[in-house]
Amino acid sequence: MDRLLKAARASGSLNLSNRSLSEVPDEVYRNLEGVGGTDDKWWEAVELQKLILAHNSIEFLKEDIRNLGFLIVLNLSHNSLSQLPAAIGELPQLKMLDVSHNLLLSIPEEIGSVVSLVKFDCSNNQLKELPSSLGRCLDLSDLKGSNNLIASLPEDLANCSKMSKLDMEGNKLTVISENIISSWTMLTELNAAKNLLSGIPAGIGGLSRLIRLDLHQNRISSIPSSIIGCHSLAEFYLGNNNISTVPVEIGELSRLGTLDLQSNQLKEYPVEACKLSLLVLNLSNNSLSGLPPEMGKMTSLRKLLLSGNPLRSLRSSLVTGPTPALLRFLRSRLSEDSEAVTTSKKDIIAMATRLSITSKEFSMGGLGLSAIPSEVWESEEVIKLDLSKNSIQELPVELSSCVSLQTLILSKNQIKDWPGSILQSLSSLSCLKLDYNPLGQIPSNGFEVVPKLQILDLSGNTGSLLDSPAFSSLPNLQELYLRKTGLAEVPSDILGLRQLRILDLSQNSLQSVPEGLKNITSLVELDLSDNNISALPPELGLLEPSLQALRLDGNPLRSIRRPILDKGTKAVLKYLMDKLPEQ
């Protein structure tokens, strides 16, 4: 013990976890004063900043904790504390406080004086409420209060506008107020599963950054149409509720990968929701008697669960068999003429031109265009141009005059050459989608002409990256889609893109994952599905606080057992973190 205390004086960090302690040693409260005897070089001592007392049998924390005024991290989890001292409020620099897995009946109001608090974990206690003073902790971004007896959230939490992760699973919540939800615009993860919620607040639509929403096992009867505003949503869990209909707006959630609606009261699945690019759709244990044939178009589906439904129009062997076979059957029932075009191309262009006068946006997707209409550059200050699903082979020089253009969508056309000279003139361009074109090699300096890009999609262009274009020329990139581009390894300069939030490397020939991915700490989504990866570097586990969605299906992974993979992103990252060598 003395050796640990002495080392703590030099490092400012003290770990006394798993020491069978029944109380905190007095030397700790004295800020390690006098430790080391007469030879102690007191002038070299560092103030204690990190104190870990987890997994002991501590029943009581003294008011003397106030002496540790420089503490940044305090971990008291897995002890026998029944209360916290008021002096906890006298730790002005504390950023992380973990009191989970104790016997706490309440949290003192003084917690509101810990104004630097960023992460607070009070899960697995016996709390009936959270103190309203938490609303004074304006930097609070990660709050975990799962497995308590909490019936409502204090309204003052609306002041915590930096809140990004909230976990209140396993409580007694009956409602989450509109005021709180509408204040948390930075929220990326919300878990209120296993509560008594009767509804989802309409304000949920304001959470445009929300990636994971878990509300399974509540009493929710409907999904508000405002869910359309959650356009970053990747995982949505609503199993074990009382939902009877799904709003058509859900079909607009283009990033949704997992939708769990098991054990509800659904009688039908809306045709509009067949637009989703889901990987997993769980509709088991509902009241579905049939499925829309349009579901056959959901070719991204890896897992469609339907057991426990009175499906009369489908053979049981199809329902329980492989998903691709069921999708093929549904596609065969689609009538060929279901997509007949009734409005002429000319009328649609005229309509798009009228709309662009106020919106500054042109939408001309799927019109069979072989050239870009002149209306585009004749319209002043166009900021968004969608020309996807056409037959355009090259960009006209006139497009260079659209200097306000921010978004250019050219997906699924016939463009063969990197349009560098045109792109160079589009100085405001922040989003470029060139996926699924017969695009040839991009020159090694090709990206230098679009330095402001935040979103780049080159998926489906197998020969485009052969000349190793420098991704380092795109320092502002936040989303990069390289699905099906023939990659045999991850381009090394991608590892330097520090603002990257979404990286899609699926359907390639990758055999390994570089350890350097751990340095992209802003990464929220990483898609590695359908490659040849057999092992993952443990360092990937270091992305745990930020990485919300890690997709690995379709790889011959031998190092991680199937039950862990099936539990999803969090379980995999925790497994990898546990494999890290001790520092």
Side-chain angles (χ1 to χ4, degrees):
M1 177 75 80
D2 280 351
R3 182 180 57 80
L4 278 173
L5 295 172
K6 192 169 183 180
R9 290 217 70 187
S11 68
S13 177
L14 178 59
N15 187 344
L16 295 177
S17 58
N18 283 303
R19 298 263 159 188
S20 303
L21 299 176
S22 57
E23 59 183 15
V24 180
D26 277 339
E27 297 93 328
V28 174
Y29 289 124
R30 294 203 306 269
N31 212 350
L32 313 181
E33 188 183 317
V35 171
T38 53
D39 297 333
D40 195 24
K41 296 181 180 178
W42 54 267
W43 60 88
E44 291 181 0
V46 177
E47 295 283 357
L48 198 60
Q49 296 177 352
K50 185 174 183 180
L51 177 57
I52 300 176
L53 294 160
H55 295 276
N56 284 295
S57 305
I58 299 167
E59 296 180 14
F60 191 68
L61 198 62
K62 293 182 181 177
E63 296 283 347
D64 294 349
I65 194 76
R66 63 166 61 92
N67 298 338
L68 307 181
F70 288 86
L71 268 191
I72 295 172
V73 175
L74 176 57
N75 187 340
L76 294 158
S77 65
H78 297 271
N79 277 287
S80 302
L81 295 169
S82 56
Q83 64 181 72
L84 291 176
I88 203 83
E90 297 178 49
L91 302 176
Q93 299 192 36
L94 196 65
K95 289 188 175 180
M96 182 186 153
L97 175 60
D98 189 344
V99 293
S100 62
H101 296 272
N102 276 284
L103 306 169
L104 297 173
L105 298 170
S106 65
I107 304 290
E109 284 287 338
E110 286 80 1
I111 191 86
S113 300
V114 188
V115 290
S116 297
L117 199 61
V118 173
K119 186 173 182 178
F120 181 39
D121 188 346
C122 57
S123 60
N124 295 280
N125 279 286
Q126 296 165 26
L127 304 173
K128 290 187 176 173
E129 61 180 6
L130 292 173
S132 56
S133 64
L134 263 181
R136 302 210 307 271
C137 303
L138 301 185
D139 287 332
L140 189 63
S141 68
D142 190 337
L143 174 58
K144 190 169 183 181
S146 54
N147 299 314
N148 279 289
L149 305 164
I150 298 166
S152 65
L153 296 175
E155 283 294 313
D156 290 7
L157 279 179
N159 300 328
C160 303
S161 58
K162 294 182 181 177
M163 190 74 73
S164 68
K165 290 170 85 170
L166 177 74
D167 185 352
M168 294 300 295
E169 179 175 333
N171 277 285
K172 306 279 185 188
L173 296 178
T174 54
V175 69
I176 299 176
S177 82
E178 291 284 353
N179 186 33
I180 288 178
I181 278 291
S182 59
S183 304
W184 287 345
T185 54
M186 305 294 284
L187 209 61
T188 61
E189 187 172 330
L190 172 57
N191 183 353
K194 300 180 183 175
N195 276 280
L196 306 171
L197 296 174
S198 57
I200 303 173
I204 197 86
L207 306 185
S208 62
R209 296 171 184 235
L210 194 65
I211 289 165
R212 190 173 192 275
L213 178 56
D214 191 345
L215 299 171
H216 81 269
Q217 210 170 313
N218 275 282
R219 300 172 178 177
I220 296 165
S221 56
S222 64
I223 305 168
S225 56
S226 61
I227 196 73
I228 193 173
C230 300
H231 42 72
S232 298
L233 202 60
E235 298 177 32
F236 195 7
Y237 300 94
L238 274 169
N240 295 89
N241 277 288
N242 303 319
I243 295 164
S244 55
T245 57
V246 176
V248 297
E249 288 81 2
I250 208 164
E252 299 301 318
L253 301 179
S254 61
R255 296 213 181 127
L256 199 61
T258 299
L259 178 58
D260 182 359
L261 291 163
Q262 66 174 306
S263 303
N264 277 285
Q265 296 166 20
L266 296 176
K267 290 187 171 64
E268 63 175 8
Y269 184 81
V271 171
E272 291 81 2
C274 295
K275 290 193 294 183
L276 293 170
S277 301
L278 296 176
L279 294 169
V280 178
L281 175 58
N282 192 343
L283 294 170
S284 56
N285 300 314
N286 275 283
S287 303
L288 299 169
S289 56
L291 297 174
E294 288 80 2
M295 192 178 274
K297 292 181 177 179
M298 299 178 75
T299 51
S300 58
L301 270 179
R302 297 282 185 278
K303 197 185 285 184
L304 173 58
L305 303 168
L306 293 165
S307 61
N309 280 287
L311 289 162
R312 298 180 189 93
S313 56
L314 294 170
R315 299 192 309 275
S316 60
S317 59
L318 271 173
V319 173
T320 57
T323 297
L326 175 56
L327 296 179
R328 272 197 305 275
F329 173 77
L330 291 169
R331 275 199 300 279
S332 71
R333 292 170 58 187
L334 274 171
S335 57
E336 292 300 317
D337 58 356
S338 61
E339 296 176 20
V341 178
T342 52
T343 315
S344 79
K345 196 184 298 183
K346 196 173 177 183
D347 290 343
I348 293 173
I349 291 173
M351 195 187 307
T353 306
R354 283 198 300 276
L355 288 171
S356 73
I357 294 169
T358 51
S359 70
K360 312 292 186 197
E361 297 183 3
F362 264 99
S363 187
M364 297 181 175
L367 296 183
L369 301 173
S370 56
I372 299 176
S374 59
E375 284 88 346
V376 170
W377 51 85
E378 288 167 3
S379 162
E380 289 185 10
E381 298 176 349
V382 59
I383 59 171
K384 181 177 179 180
L385 178 56
D386 183 352
L387 292 160
S388 57
K389 300 178 186 170
N390 282 296
S391 305
I392 296 163
Q393 294 187 15
E394 59 181 3
L395 305 187
V397 174
E398 290 87 347
L399 197 63
S400 302
S401 64
C402 299
V403 291
S404 300
L405 196 62
Q406 297 170 13
T407 299
L408 178 56
I409 302 174
L410 294 162
S411 315
K412 297 183 179 172
N413 275 282
Q414 296 297 318
I415 294 166
K416 293 176 183 170
D417 297 318
W418 176 250
S421 57
I422 308 293
L423 295 175
Q424 191 157 19
S425 306
L426 306 178
S427 54
S428 303
L429 200 65
S430 61
C431 172
L432 175 61
K433 297 192 175 186
L434 271 165
D435 47 308
Y436 298 97
N437 278 277
L439 194 64
Q441 286 188 34
I442 298 170
S444 57
N445 61 351
F447 294 149
E448 290 177 12
V449 298
V450 279
K452 291 185 180 175
L453 273 195
Q454 295 178 15
I455 300 171
L456 175 62
D457 193 343
L458 295 170
S459 300
N461 292 297
T462 46
S464 60
L465 303 176
L466 292 173
D467 208 8
S468 302
F471 287 99
S472 53
S473 305
L474 305 171
N476 303 306
L477 211 57
Q478 295 181 21
E479 299 180 21
L480 178 58
Y481 303 90
L482 298 175
R483 183 172 56 254
K484 214 171 182 178
T485 48
L487 287 173
E489 58 183 35
V490 180
S492 58
D493 57 347
I494 286 178
L495 307 178
L497 299 176
R498 296 302 163 84
Q499 295 189 42
L500 207 57
R501 296 179 73 247
I502 297 173
L503 177 57
D504 186 346
L505 296 166
S506 61
Q507 297 180 48
N508 280 293
S509 306
L510 303 177
Q511 296 189 8
S512 63
V513 179
E515 177 192 319
L517 273 176
K518 70 180 182 188
N519 297 323
I520 313 179
T521 51
S522 52
L523 212 55
V524 171
E525 279 183 51
L526 176 59
D527 193 340
L528 297 168
S529 56
D530 298 307
N531 277 283
N532 298 320
I533 299 163
S534 57
L536 295 175
E539 288 78 10
L540 218 53
L542 296 170
L543 293 174
E544 191 278 320
S546 60
L547 193 63
Q548 312 278 318
L550 173 61
R551 303 203 170 101
L552 296 165
D553 46 301
N555 280 290
L557 282 167
R558 299 184 189 93
S559 56
I560 305 179
R561 297 194 315 279
R562 173 53 56 187
I564 294 171
L565 290 170
D566 286 345
K567 283 182 186 172
T569 300
K570 281 189 165 181
V572 172
L573 292 178
K574 182 181 184 305
Y575 173 83
L576 291 170
M577 184 81 94
D578 291 344
K579 291 284 179 190
L580 277 169
E582 290 292 326
Q583 296 299 315

